[in-house]
């Protein structure tokens, strides 16, 4: 079944679905915005306020914990019970019925509630964490309530008033199209901003007409040609500094990025790309450029800084500094609500909810709270250190470091495998096996001294990534046929080239010592000895002399191919 995490709207759901269509649309995994329930019961006292205090969501009634579709028809009694639960929690919900196969389910859409706090009838403050409703207590609750009740700077009306010429109509239309709406002409820009939830008509004192258009700061931050005209400090300052510090260090270049949200992101990532390295690597028959930092991790860091900063800190800018060994992203404002460095991967709180809603619907963020996780995944996939977070009273700094546990050729090879290895240890074990061709448990233990080697090898064999060869003390491991096929046979090609280079050098010189072979292979002593031993066992070379004076000669009529 699909593990979809779409933020669904009741209006987007067809009246009738097959079971397959239902699971494809909803997925079978509960998350912050989705909860399956068998029927209507007191658990709604927790689910409704928890969703309202997170990002809203949908309750699906008529599906049990085993994900069997049992049905829960929307009768008058069911409607009345849902309404009563919602009223006691002081939340307005939408209810509708959907047919799935021969069954009828009842769906309840819970809105996100801002600028006030929603609790359970007995006074508990809950948040959705994954598929659970969990309470906030103590300081975490106090921080959450403080930020929830405070009007975010993104919601303040524009002080300069609304002029359509201040806005990038292409950026607005791009957002509309991505949300399934029709593009508009400039004279309809006000209506478009209302559709995007960053403007509204004030009809409280209307005497004819549509009422005064009130446009909030979020509109300028997302779509204005120059957001600084409306929100002081709404820009990004980028600097390339030479060295690694401490101290400011000499500056080799600087730039300011400001404009519609998406263009600002592209401006920032372009600066970083120009001031970080690109490595050309060859994997099998493919030649490609690999950036020094994972592009997705860099983009997520920029998007997070822009989307989550505190725009109430007038004049403060986002600062991005590119050093020789790292990139630092400093965003004004502390972590929002109850979020801490310890829980930021499992919980989330949107300081700028209007912006986040649009970014999600525009596809610029995959899912609320996923940006941090993606940075971790992208860095780990490249065998680089995880992102570092430094929190202060008035800022949050994210640091990406370019330290690497494997060379770029190895990392490009790992990327060519796609899914499979899930952890840094698994990726490093595959790299070691690729380099060696075959490798024993003892060699794994030397390369990965802190790993549980037996568990690691069992996992890799079970996943079909490694194959076990031999028995007892002679047991070795090699890459599985599936891995070789997925990577385009690149590991065997690398080994073939290295063995052939030693043979070619022996033919040219007449013989090689182990030290000379090591220099031919760019200083890898273990690999030189391993290849010499393998060539000798295969009868392709012959050794003469004792240990210290031993030299290796190509055997007569040695085959050209060494595969």
């Amino acid at each position: 079944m699909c593990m979809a995490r779409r933020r669904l709207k009741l209006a987007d759901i067809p009246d009738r679905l097959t079971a397959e269509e239902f699971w494809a649309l909803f997925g079978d995994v509960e998350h912050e915005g989705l909860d399956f329930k068998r029927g209507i019961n007191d658990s709604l006292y927790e689910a409704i306020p928890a969703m309202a205090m997170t990002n809203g969501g949908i309750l699906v009634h008529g599906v049990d914990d085993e994900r069997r579709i049992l049905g829960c028809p929307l009768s008058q009694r069911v409607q009345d019970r849902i309404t009563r639960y919602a009223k006691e929690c002081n939340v307005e919900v939408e209810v509708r019925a959907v047919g799935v196969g021969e069954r009828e389910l009842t769906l309840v859409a819970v809105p996100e509630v801002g600028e006030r706090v929603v609790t359970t009838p007995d006074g508990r403050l809950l948040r959705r964490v994954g598929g659970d409703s969990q309470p906030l207590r103590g300081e975490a609750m106090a921080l959450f309530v403080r930020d929830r009740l405070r009007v975010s700077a993104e919601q303040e009306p524009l002080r300069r008033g609304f002029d359509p010429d201040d806005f990038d109509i292409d950026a607005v239309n791009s957002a509309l199209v991505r949300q399934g709406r029709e593009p508009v002409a400039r004279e309809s820009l006000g209506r478009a901003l209302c559709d995007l939830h960053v403007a509204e008509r004030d009809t409280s004192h209307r005497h004819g007409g549509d009422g005064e258009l009130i446009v909030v700061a979020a509109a300028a931050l997302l779509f204005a040609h120059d957001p600084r005209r409306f929100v002081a400090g709404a820009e990004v300052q980028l600097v390339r500094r030479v060295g690694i510090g401490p101290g400011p260090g000499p500056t080799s270049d600087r730039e300011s990025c400001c404009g519609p949200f998406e263009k600002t992101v592209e401006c920032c990532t372009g600066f970083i790309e120009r001031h970080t390295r690109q490595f050309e690597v060859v994997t099998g028959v493919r030649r490609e450029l690999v950036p020094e930092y994972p592009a997705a991790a860099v983009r997520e860091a920029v998007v997070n800084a822009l989307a989550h900063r505190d725009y109430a800190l007038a004049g403060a800018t986002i600062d991005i500094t590119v050093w020789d060994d790292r990139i630092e992203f400093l965003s004004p404002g502390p972590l929002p609500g109850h979020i801490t460095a310890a829980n930021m991967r499992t919980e989330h709180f949107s300081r700028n909810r209007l912006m986040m809603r649009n970014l999600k619907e525009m596809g610029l963020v995959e899912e609320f709270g996923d940006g941090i996780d993606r940075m971790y995944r992208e860095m780990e996939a490249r065998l680089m250190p995880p992102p570092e977070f430094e929190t202060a009273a008035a800022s949050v700094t994210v640091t990406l470091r370019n330290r690497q546990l494997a060379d770029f050729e190895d990392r490009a090879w790992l990327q060519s495998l796609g899914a499979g290895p899930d952890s840094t240890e698994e990726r490093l074990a595959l790299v070691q096996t690729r380099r060696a061709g075959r490798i024993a448990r003892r060699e794994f233990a030397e390369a990965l001294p802190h790993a549980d080697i037996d568990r690691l090898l069992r996992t890799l064999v079970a996943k079909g990534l490694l194959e076990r060869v031999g028995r007892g003390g002679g047991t070795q491991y090699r890459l599985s046929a599936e891995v070789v096929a997925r990577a385009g046979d690149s590991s065997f090609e690398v080994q073939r080239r290295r063995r052939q280079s030693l043979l070619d050098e022996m033919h040219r010189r007449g013989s090689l010592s182990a030290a000379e072979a090591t220099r031919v292979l760019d200083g890898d002593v273990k690999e030189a000895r391993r290849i010499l031993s393998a060539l000798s066992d295969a009868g392709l070379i012959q050794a003469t002399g004792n240990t210290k004076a031993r030299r290796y000669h190509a055997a007569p009529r040695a085959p050209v191919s060494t595969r």
Side-chain angles (χ1 to χ4, degrees):
M1 295 179 181
C2 174
M3 293 178 61
R5 291 190 64 183
R6 289 181 56 193
R7 191 68 56 167
L8 295 172
K9 302 176 183 176
L10 287 191
D12 297 333
I13 302 171
D15 291 332
R16 298 210 63 83
L17 297 164
T18 65
E20 291 76 15
E21 290 170 337
F22 172 80
W23 292 119
L25 184 62
F26 284 86
D28 66 339
V29 177
E30 293 180 330
H31 51 78
E32 291 166 352
L34 178 65
D35 200 344
F36 294 113
K37 295 190 176 298
R38 179 167 183 155
I40 311 299
N41 54 50
D42 288 353
S43 64
L44 267 66
Y45 281 135
E46 295 187 349
I48 290 175
M51 281 189 174
M53 288 289 92
T54 311
N55 288 296
I58 291 182
L59 304 169
V60 179
H61 297 273
V63 178
D64 68 7
D65 291 341
E66 283 71 45
R67 301 301 181 260
R68 293 176 297 185
I69 299 176
L70 305 178
C72 179
L74 181 55
S75 63
Q76 186 63 53
R77 180 173 177 273
V78 166
Q79 174 75 62
D80 291 344
R81 292 189 68 191
I82 292 171
T83 301
R84 176 170 60 82
Y85 283 120
K87 290 293 185 183
E88 289 191 49
C89 297
N90 196 21
V91 177
E92 294 290 334
V93 300
E94 294 180 69
V95 183
R96 65 169 288 202
V98 170
V100 179
E102 299 299 319
R103 310 282 185 177
E104 182 177 276
L105 305 182
T106 294
L107 307 185
V108 178
V110 181
E112 178 186 3
V113 175
E115 300 179 29
R116 66 183 177 91
V117 174
V118 176
T119 67
T120 63
D122 59 3
R124 290 174 296 141
L125 176 58
L126 305 178
R127 293 266 298 166
R128 291 285 290 180
V129 179
D132 296 325
S133 300
Q134 297 187 1
L136 288 177
R137 299 185 177 92
E139 183 180 5
M141 181 169 65
L143 292 171
F144 178 88
V145 171
R146 181 200 67 190
D147 277 10
R148 199 70 177 191
L149 296 180
R150 186 179 68 177
V151 175
S152 172
E154 66 156 4
Q155 300 176 45
E156 295 288 346
L158 297 182
R159 293 188 297 273
R160 296 172 53 90
F162 173 65
D163 182 345
D165 290 335
D166 288 329
F167 289 81
D168 186 323
I169 188 66
D170 291 335
V172 173
N173 279 332
S174 175
L176 290 170
V177 170
R178 291 179 186 181
Q179 296 185 25
R181 302 177 185 273
E182 293 293 323
V184 300
R186 186 169 293 279
E187 55 266 25
S188 300
L189 186 61
R191 175 173 59 81
L193 294 179
C194 290
D195 289 340
L196 294 169
H197 311 289
V198 290
E200 62 181 3
R201 294 284 179 182
D202 182 7
T203 59
S204 58
H205 303 290
R206 187 175 65 185
H207 299 286
D210 294 330
E212 180 187 0
L213 179 68
I214 300 175
V215 181
V216 297
L221 295 168
L222 289 168
F223 306 119
H225 291 297
D226 187 353
R228 294 170 298 187
R229 300 181 64 190
F230 307 95
V231 180
E235 64 180 315
V236 183
Q237 299 287 342
L238 299 104
V239 179
R240 174 64 171 103
R241 296 195 182 278
V242 179
I244 61 173
T251 298
S252 62
D253 194 13
R254 65 172 62 243
E255 184 174 349
S256 174
C257 292
C258 179
F261 190 98
E262 195 165 6
K263 291 184 179 179
T264 301
V265 172
E266 297 304 328
C267 175
C268 294
T269 55
F271 179 92
I272 293 170
E273 183 178 340
R274 292 194 301 275
H275 291 286
T276 52
R277 296 172 292 175
Q278 299 278 325
F279 296 86
E280 186 178 71
V281 298
V282 178
T283 306
V285 297
R286 298 189 301 274
R287 183 183 301 274
E288 59 181 315
L289 288 177
V290 178
E292 185 173 4
Y293 297 87
V298 170
R299 186 178 182 84
E300 288 292 346
V302 173
V303 169
N304 271 275
L306 284 164
H308 296 300
R309 67 153 289 181
D310 189 347
Y311 287 98
L313 297 176
T317 63
I318 295 170
D319 297 327
I320 299 177
T321 306
V322 181
W323 297 85
D324 289 353
D325 67 334
R326 67 193 184 277
I327 309 174
E328 296 176 349
F329 304 80
L330 184 147
S331 182
L335 289 171
H338 65 298
I339 302 301
T340 66
N343 69 12
M344 64 171 57
R345 294 190 70 181
T346 57
E347 300 194 33
H348 66 270
F349 179 96
S350 298
R351 173 183 285 124
N352 304 309
R353 295 193 291 279
L354 296 178
M355 291 180 66
M356 285 301 296
R357 177 176 181 173
N358 275 278
L359 295 176
K360 172 65 174 65
E361 295 185 352
M362 291 163 61
L364 296 180
V365 296
E366 289 185 3
E367 186 65 47
F368 298 119
D370 273 3
I372 302 299
D373 250 358
R374 188 174 188 192
M375 276 192 276
Y376 274 92
R377 292 195 304 268
E378 292 290 337
M379 295 295 283
E380 185 179 79
R382 288 273 297 273
L383 295 177
M384 298 174 75
E388 301 170 10
F389 293 84
E390 181 181 348
T391 61
S395 66
V396 176
T397 301
V398 180
T399 301
L400 303 180
R401 298 189 181 274
N402 62 12
R403 191 169 68 252
Q404 48 191 289
L405 302 177
D407 62 31
F408 274 90
E409 183 183 313
D410 289 327
R411 285 190 276 165
W413 175 78
L414 282 169
Q415 284 185 298
S416 72
L417 294 181
D422 296 319
S423 68
T424 298
E425 289 178 349
E426 290 180 14
R427 294 184 178 93
L428 287 174
L430 290 177
V431 165
Q432 294 295 324
T433 308
R434 173 180 183 252
R435 291 174 177 174
R438 293 190 181 191
I439 185 169
R441 183 194 180 284
R442 172 183 54 79
E443 294 169 302
F444 277 121
E446 291 175 358
L448 301 166
H450 302 296
D452 182 340
I453 297 300
D454 292 326
R455 180 195 58 79
L456 177 62
L457 292 175
R458 285 196 303 270
T459 300
L460 290 170
V461 170
K463 287 183 174 182
L465 300 173
L466 291 185
E467 294 176 351
R468 184 173 176 173
V469 182
R471 297 181 179 179
T475 299
Q476 291 185 314
Y477 296 85
R478 67 185 180 193
L479 297 177
S480 69
E482 178 187 353
V483 166
V484 172
R486 282 160 59 186
D489 209 16
S490 57
S491 59
F492 285 89
E493 176 62 22
V494 170
Q495 292 298 315
R496 189 198 68 77
R497 289 201 307 267
R498 290 173 177 171
R499 290 195 294 267
Q500 190 64 53
S501 66
L502 286 187
L503 276 177
D504 291 344
E505 195 66 14
M506 284 181 197
H507 281 293
R508 190 178 70 82
R509 298 189 190 185
S511 65
L512 285 177
S513 67
E516 290 168 338
T518 298
R519 288 193 289 273
V520 171
L521 297 177
D522 297 324
D524 194 330
V525 178
K526 287 186 177 181
E527 184 171 14
R529 293 188 181 280
R530 185 180 296 117
I531 292 177
L532 290 171
S533 178
L535 291 173
S536 180
D537 291 343
L540 299 176
I541 64 174
Q542 296 174 346
T544 60
N546 59 30
T547 302
K548 291 185 178 181
R550 180 169 296 162
R551 298 193 69 80
Y552 297 86
H553 308 259
R557 297 187 301 276
V560 175
S561 174
T562 62
R563 287 192 64 176

